[in-house]
Each structure stands twice: as C-alpha cells, then as structure tokens.
Amino acid sequence: MIAIWWVVVVVTMGVWWTLWRLFRYPGGWEYAFHKEHREERKALEDARGAVRELRRTARSETWRARAAVKRAEWAYRRRVRRAESELEQLRTPDRGARVEQLGGISLHEHTVLVADEELPLAGLQVRFELARSAHVSYVYITQPDGRERMERYEGKEFPEAAVRRFSVQIQNAAVAANRLQERRAGDICTLEAELREARKATEPIVVAQERLEKTRARHGSDLKLPQARAALDDARNVWQDLTGRRPL
C-alpha cells in the first residue's frame, strides 16, 4: 500500500511539473523540452529572473524602510504612553491596601474611608476626644478645607486605648502622606517635563519617513527595472516568433 502511495505521489508530481513547464514555455512539447530550444528557454528564463530579482529587491528595501517608520512610531507612542501613565498614577494615586479598620473608619495606605466616603490622607488633621458623662470616644477628622467628619465609639465595644491608638495611627499616616505628597509634587514636575520632551521627540519618525520616501523615489526613478521589463518583452517576442505562442 505504501509503495502504491509513493507511485501516486511521484506520478502526480511528474504530471504537475510537465504541465507547469508547458505553461511556462508554451508552443508544444518540442519547445518546452527538446534540447535544440534550450538557449531560447534560457534566454526567456533569464529575462524573467532579472525582472523578478529587481522587483524583489525593490519590495524588500521598501518594506524595510516602511518597517523602520512603524518602529519609530511605535517607540514614540510607547514613550509618550509610559510618561502619561506614570504621571496619571502620581496625580491620582489609588487608596492602596487597607492598613486597619476600627468601627466606621478604615485606614488605607493613601486614603481613609469614613462611612464609605474616601478622604485623601494628605492634609488631614485627626483629634481624639473622650465624653465626660459616658464611656464614649470620638474621633474627629478635619479635611484641608475645614470640613469635619466624626466617628463615635462605644466604650464597651471599643476601649478608649484602642481608639486613642487608632487616632494616633491615622494622624501619623496623614503626616507621612504630607511628606509623600511633597515628594510626589517634585516627581510630577519631573514627569511633566519628560512628557513634554517625549511629545516633542518626533525626529526619529521624520527621519524614517524621509528614508522611506527616498527609497520609493529611488526605485521609482531607477531605469534598471524598465530596462529589464523591455528585455523580457523582447524575449517574449522572440519566443512568440518561434512558437506562435506568447509566454507570460
């Protein structure tokens, strides 16, 4: 069975090659295969090869020049996007991981949540108070614009020491956030300058585009390909005069 399969494959390939050769060198069996017309076939194939090679070279060089433009554009967009992303993260930091929660106040790395209202830590002031007539603690959080939020803690559920410790923890986190904000302001200025430079850095794109245009113009004005096409037409004419059939 395997031997029969190989015979079928070989016969099929032989038939395909014969038909292909008759198509490439039209006019009949004699012109496509006999030795006496070998020179005419070689002249036709050489003329085809010259045109094919020049076209391949032009396509390859143009493709490389176009790819250089794409790479320059991609590098430009990547640089700008990276600067924009880093700047956006500095301008609008997320709340970060939760550090601790006590009652209705949840302390996170960069914010504090009071009854689901998110307050940035930077600029906050925290005050602890203990009620005189009852075992109740209060934590007051003052925002930079003066508005206050208050959370009430019953002594049975939330001991005074725990509430005091938590209010101090929030105050210390706010102080740390103030220092971080100062550093962040400097980083923002630096990144804003980097972003301006990134947006202005279009020279590699311009250079690559100019190279592409020069490559296209050079191949458009090159006489080698028109000359090779003319030589191929002459070879086709010779073959047509010989066989009465014009090859492609």
Side-chain angles (χ1 to χ4, degrees):
M1 181 64 68
I2 295 178
I4 295 175
W5 183 84
W6 276 110
V7 169
V8 171
V9 171
V10 171
V11 170
T12 301
M13 292 179 63
V15 171
W16 179 88
W17 181 81
T18 300
L19 294 175
W20 174 85
R21 193 171 179 88
L22 289 171
F23 174 79
R24 293 284 288 174
Y25 305 103
W29 188 274
E30 176 183 355
Y31 299 104
F33 294 97
H34 285 192
K35 292 182 179 180
E36 61 181 297
H37 298 295
R38 180 184 299 168
E39 293 299 324
E40 290 85 354
R41 289 195 299 270
K42 184 177 185 304
L44 180 60
E45 191 56 33
D46 288 346
R48 286 169 170 163
V51 172
R52 186 167 55 247
E53 183 62 27
L54 288 170
R55 285 175 174 169
R56 183 185 299 116
T57 300
R59 285 196 300 268
S60 177
E61 292 182 359
T62 302
W63 181 87
R64 287 198 297 269
R66 188 181 297 111
V69 173
K70 296 295 184 183
R71 286 195 301 271
E73 292 174 341
W74 180 78
Y76 172 82
R77 289 194 296 268
R78 182 181 62 176
R79 181 182 175 185
V80 171
R81 282 198 302 266
R82 183 172 62 246
E84 289 175 340
S85 176
E86 293 176 358
L87 189 57
E88 181 65 20
Q89 289 178 2
L90 283 176
R91 285 173 173 168
T92 56
D94 58 15
R95 66 177 58 171
R98 189 173 69 179
V99 178
E100 190 169 346
Q101 182 173 359
L102 194 67
I105 299 179
S106 177
L107 175 62
H108 291 253
E109 289 178 325
H110 306 299
T111 63
V112 61
L113 296 181
V114 183
D116 294 331
E117 181 180 357
E118 187 170 339
L119 308 176
L121 277 170
L124 292 183
Q125 294 293 325
V126 183
R127 186 175 80 257
F128 170 85
E129 289 188 3
L130 182 65
R132 295 178 180 273
S133 59
H135 297 288
V136 176
S137 302
Y138 296 93
V139 173
Y140 294 88
I141 296 177
T142 305
Q143 298 173 241
D145 60 4
R147 289 180 298 167
E148 280 193 338
R149 297 299 306 271
M150 182 194 73
E151 186 68 16
R152 186 175 185 274
Y153 294 94
E154 294 287 346
K156 293 182 179 180
E157 184 178 359
F158 300 101
E160 175 188 340
V163 180
R164 284 184 181 274
R165 182 188 60 79
F166 185 55
S167 64
V168 170
Q169 187 177 15
I170 298 175
Q171 180 62 42
N172 290 339
V175 172
N178 291 337
R179 291 196 293 265
L180 179 61
Q181 188 179 51
E182 292 175 0
R183 292 196 300 269
R184 185 183 292 121
D187 293 339
I188 287 175
C189 290
T190 300
L191 272 175
E192 286 176 340
E194 291 181 6
L195 179 57
R196 288 193 295 269
E197 289 299 318
R199 286 172 173 168
K200 291 189 297 184
T202 58
E203 183 178 356
I205 298 176
V206 174
V207 171
Q209 289 174 337
E210 290 176 349
R211 187 178 298 116
L212 174 59
E213 294 304 319
K214 289 179 180 178
T215 301
R216 286 171 171 168
R218 175 164 52 82
H219 286 294
S221 61
D222 191 359
L223 298 178
K224 291 181 181 179
L225 183 55
Q227 291 171 351
R229 287 171 176 165
L232 177 56
D233 285 338
D234 291 340
R236 286 168 174 163
N237 291 336
V238 170
W239 188 269
Q240 186 174 12
D241 292 341
L242 177 66
T243 66
R245 299 284 300 279
R246 186 172 183 82
L248 297 176

